[in-house]
Amino acid sequence: MPLTSVKHAVTLRDLLQSALQQLPQTDSARLDCEILLCSVLKQERYFLYAHPDTPIDSRDQADFNSLLAKRAAGFPVAYLTGWKEFWSLHIEVNQHALIPRPETEQLVELALESTPANTKSTILDLGTGSGAIAIAIATERPDCRITATDISLPALSLAQQNAERLGLNNIRFVHSDWFSATGAQRFDLIISNPPYVESDHSGFITGDIRHEPRLALDGGSHGLDAYRRIIPAGIASLSTRGRLLLEHGHSQGELIRQLFRHNHYLNIETKQDYSGLDRVTLAERP
Ligand code: GLN
């Protein structure tokens, strides 16, 4: 009897193993492969561990391999799957908006600390992008009225879709270049994660951030252009003792505190993120 080679079906385990070899060896390589495979199989991650022997058909293999090739070329996972988890919420993303970062949850936490539950505060989120920050606050503080702005119309429409899909009706979306269209309204709290990366940062050429909108990341030669506009102008849009909370780069804390001092804000304080790095500076309007 002639020997026949028995070709066994490609399993989920096989696919993940060979995928790992195709990505550069980074801390996130395994997680990236798992998330991409889950998105093709439309399964949660536990499924990969519970059923590693599941055979994967050739169409799913091809879809997975094409995502993997894009990831290997530096394209961010969240743009490949179309969503990112932020504050335990499913936020849809596309190339018109920055992918929400875990460290930005610190900004949400501080905004919530400044806004006791059941208060009917007014909150302004400048440069909302995907809407992640405004949406996280809106879910935690349903009585607050939130205005979310962006200079980018496609980003604003993405944010609006996210808010609608999550059933939120306490956010108003305004097309605005920082304060240009927010009018005479004064807010109890203004928050922003503005662009703060220095224009000559190498990441714009070689890093994953080259796939994200430059508008959302590039803060000028020292990364501070947005703060130079937001901090002085914030005075006219904050109520008395209203707070301005700004995310920034880990080495920018002192310069941002100086800008606040220069504009006569009170109780200026920098807070660290979960990695212990300076990440958010907050201050009160006199
Ligand atoms: N934290 C982002 C990064 O390092 C920058 C975000 C921003 O500029 N607002 O990629």
Side-chain angles (χ1 to χ4, degrees), residues 14-238:
D14 302 332
L15 205 57
L16 271 179
Q17 248 162 29
S18 82
L20 256 181
Q21 262 125 58
Q22 295 170 56
L23 287 191
Q25 311 242 309
T26 61
D27 288 349
S28 71
R30 182 165 193 99
L31 181 63
D32 292 354
C33 290
E34 291 182 1
I35 293 174
L36 294 177
L37 187 54
C38 285
S39 100
V40 169
L41 301 179
K42 300 191 175 47
Q43 294 285 357
E44 301 286 333
R45 264 177 71 219
Y46 78 85
F47 182 87
L48 308 182
Y49 292 90
H51 306 287
D53 295 318
T54 307
I56 308 296
D57 67 35
S58 54
R59 220 182 60 193
D60 284 349
Q61 285 181 46
D63 288 351
F64 177 59
N65 284 326
S66 114
L67 291 180
L68 202 63
K70 290 184 186 149
R71 179 63 201 131
F75 208 67
V77 172
Y79 287 153
L80 293 171
T81 60
W83 70 281
K84 174 85 182 177
E85 185 178 308
F86 180 81
W87 201 260
S88 300
L89 297 162
H90 180 105
I91 302 292
E92 289 192 356
V93 294
N94 61 35
Q95 277 187 274
H96 295 297
L98 192 77
I99 299 165
R101 313 284 206 258
E103 61 266 27
T104 299
E105 292 185 352
Q106 170 79 357
L107 189 65
V108 174
E109 234 167 63
L110 292 167
L112 296 177
E113 273 173 31
S114 294
T115 313
N118 307 319
T119 50
K120 294 190 175 1
S121 304
T122 49
I123 301 176
L124 173 63
D125 175 25
L126 292 171
T128 197
S130 65
I133 298 167
I135 287 169
I137 296 172
T139 57
E140 300 287 342
R141 296 288 184 269
D143 293 334
C144 291
R145 275 170 298 129
I146 300 171
T147 301
T149 71
D150 210 286
I151 193 172
S152 154
L153 277 173
L156 212 55
S157 109
L158 172 70
Q160 199 153 9
Q161 281 166 34
N162 273 318
E164 274 167 25
R165 190 175 31 80
L166 292 164
L168 298 165
N169 52 19
N170 54 336
I171 312 178
R172 177 174 73 105
F173 293 92
V174 178
H175 184 215
S176 183
D177 176 9
W178 302 132
F179 295 98
S180 71
T182 58
Q185 189 182 352
R186 288 188 183 262
F187 298 88
D188 301 312
L189 177 70
I190 300 177
I191 44 170
S192 184
N193 174 18
Y196 56 71
V197 180
E198 293 91 348
S199 300
D200 63 359
H201 192 281
S202 62
F204 286 124
I205 298 159
T206 53
D208 285 8
I209 59 168
R210 70 188 186 276
H211 300 284
E212 294 183 277
R214 185 107 191 194
L215 192 64
L217 285 160
D218 189 340
S221 52
H222 297 99
L224 295 171
D225 288 4
Y227 305 91
R228 295 202 171 102
R229 287 186 60 196
I230 295 173
I231 293 174
I235 300 273
S237 292
L238 281 166

Side-chain angles (χ1 to χ4, degrees), residues 110-111 113-115 122 124 187-191 238-246 260 265-267 269 271 282-285:
L110 292 167
E113 273 173 31
S114 294
T115 313
T122 49
L124 173 63
F187 298 88
D188 301 312
L189 177 70
I190 300 177
I191 44 170
L238 281 166
S239 40
T240 307
R241 288 302 168 119
R243 279 190 174 174
L244 177 51
L245 254 74
L246 298 172
F260 272 123
Y265 281 80
L266 306 171
N267 299 322
E269 207 181 336
K271 305 272 192 180
L282 53 102
E284 276 176 26
R285 201 207 89 155

